[in-house]
Each structure stands twice: as C-alpha cells, then as structure tokens.
Amino acid sequence: AAAAAAHWTSLSTELRKVLASHKQGVSNDVSLPIVTEVRDAMKKYVGSDLQQELRSLYEKLKPMKSMLTFETVHLFMMALRECQDYSTMIEVYEYVNTVNPDVARKEGVQYMVAFALNRRKGAGDRERALEVISQVAEPSGDMLCLCGRIYKDLYIESGYEADHFLHSAIEWYRKGAAVEP
C-alpha cells in the first residue's frame, strides 16, 4: 500500500510539472513539427528565399494557437532575424501578444521584438523598442546592452550631435556589463 501511495504521489508530481510547463508556454510535442520545419527552412534557404518560406510557415502557424509556445515563437523570430525580415518579426510578436500574451512577455521574445524595432527604423520604432525593454522586470545583460545599442544608433543618426544619446548609450552598456561581466 505504501509503495502504491508513493507511486501515485510521484505520478501526481510529474503531472503537475507537465501541466505547469504547458501553462508557461514551454515547448510540447504539438509544436515539434513546426519547429522542425523552421529549422529545416533555416538550413535549406537564405535571404529572400528563407523570408518567403518563413512567411508561408507563419500563415500555416497562425491558426494553430496551441503551437505558439515560447520555443516555437522564439525560433521563428530568430529565423526571421536571419533574413532581416524585421517587419514580420514585429507582426509575429503583435499576433502572439493578442493570442498568447504569456509567451509574448517572455524576455527572449521581447528581446527579439525590441531588436526588430530598432533595426526597422520606422517612425517611433526606437521609442517603442525602449518601451518594450522597460517592461522587462529583470532584464538580462543582453537586453540592457540592446538598450545601449538603441541609444548609440540614435546618437549616430543625430550626426554625433545629441550627446545625451551618447551618455545614455554608455550608461546602458555599463549596466549590461555589470549584470553579465
């Protein structure tokens, strides 16, 4: 009887772990096929061909909300970054934020959208990137350094005139280095 009770306790504990990981958006078997397709596309295509393949996969992925795990979304955004499709990265983030905000709030996803906003350089994109970064509770060194990069880009685009951007860039790079020396 004691052995049976221990078995059920162990099973119960394992089930709780599985359910908790699913709730947190951790990868599960359902998302594996799309992850494999994205990885295969990254191996097979480059540039505009990769961009076209990823857009096709994105249209396939959108109706399958159960596949929008952190692993899937992050990998997808990394693949889009590879072909410099920053607008689609932002579109993916915005879609995921509406259907699975828990995944959109993960730092890895927020980093990717902030990166994309900075690189796209549209009106208000850099300010929006800084806003995304400011919403991260405990940003990593990489996230803090991205903030420094944004300010550095703003300084360069000012024709090296806006010293406050330079000082902000240095401050954020220092913060990033302090977190991850």
Side-chain angles (χ1 to χ4, degrees):
H7 173 72
W8 283 108
T9 302
S10 175
L11 180 60
S12 173
T13 302
E14 288 302 312
L15 281 172
R16 281 192 189 113
K17 286 180 187 175
V18 168
L19 290 173
S21 69
H22 184 320
K23 186 176 182 180
Q24 292 171 0
V26 174
S27 177
N28 55 38
D29 292 339
V30 175
S31 64
L32 192 55
I34 198 78
V35 167
T36 301
E37 287 184 63
V38 172
R39 286 184 179 143
D40 289 347
M42 289 173 71
K43 290 175 188 172
K44 186 175 179 180
Y45 302 105
V46 294
S48 62
D49 293 334
L50 177 59
Q51 184 178 22
Q52 184 177 350
E53 183 67 18
L54 291 171
R55 284 187 180 171
S56 173
L57 287 172
Y58 176 54
E59 291 306 316
K60 179 179 172 182
L61 177 64
K62 278 174 73 173
M64 298 183 248
K65 295 173 184 162
S66 66
M67 291 189 177
L68 294 174
T69 64
F70 170 76
E71 180 182 10
T72 303
V73 172
H74 190 255
L75 176 67
F76 200 80
M77 291 180 83
M78 286 179 19
L80 288 165
R81 182 182 68 181
E82 186 75 22
C83 62
Q84 301 179 2
D85 190 351
Y86 305 123
S87 292
T88 303
M89 287 175 72
I90 296 162
E91 182 183 332
V92 168
Y93 170 80
E94 290 169 347
Y95 178 72
V96 171
N97 197 33
T98 62
V99 298
N100 195 345
D102 289 340
V103 170
R105 282 192 293 267
K106 300 276 187 194
E107 184 177 342
V109 173
Q110 290 182 318
Y111 177 90
M112 297 302 281
V113 74
F115 180 89
L117 286 162
N118 184 48
R119 289 295 175 97
R120 187 172 73 172
K121 303 178 193 174
D125 279 353
R126 292 219 166 102
E127 292 78 11
R128 194 166 152 216
L130 292 168
E131 182 181 322
V132 167
I133 293 169
S134 74
Q135 294 173 4
V136 177
E138 294 182 34
S140 66
D142 287 342
M143 185 70 89
L144 296 171
C145 287
L146 175 59
C147 195
R149 174 60 192 251
I150 293 167
Y151 281 112
K152 175 186 162 197
D153 291 345
L154 289 168
Y155 174 67
I156 292 168
E157 288 178 6
S158 76
Y160 304 96
E161 298 286 326
D163 286 345
H164 64 285
F165 289 142
L166 173 62
H167 297 297
S168 292
I170 293 167
E171 176 186 343
W172 284 103
Y173 279 129
R174 284 183 177 152
K175 287 180 181 181
V179 170
E180 293 177 22

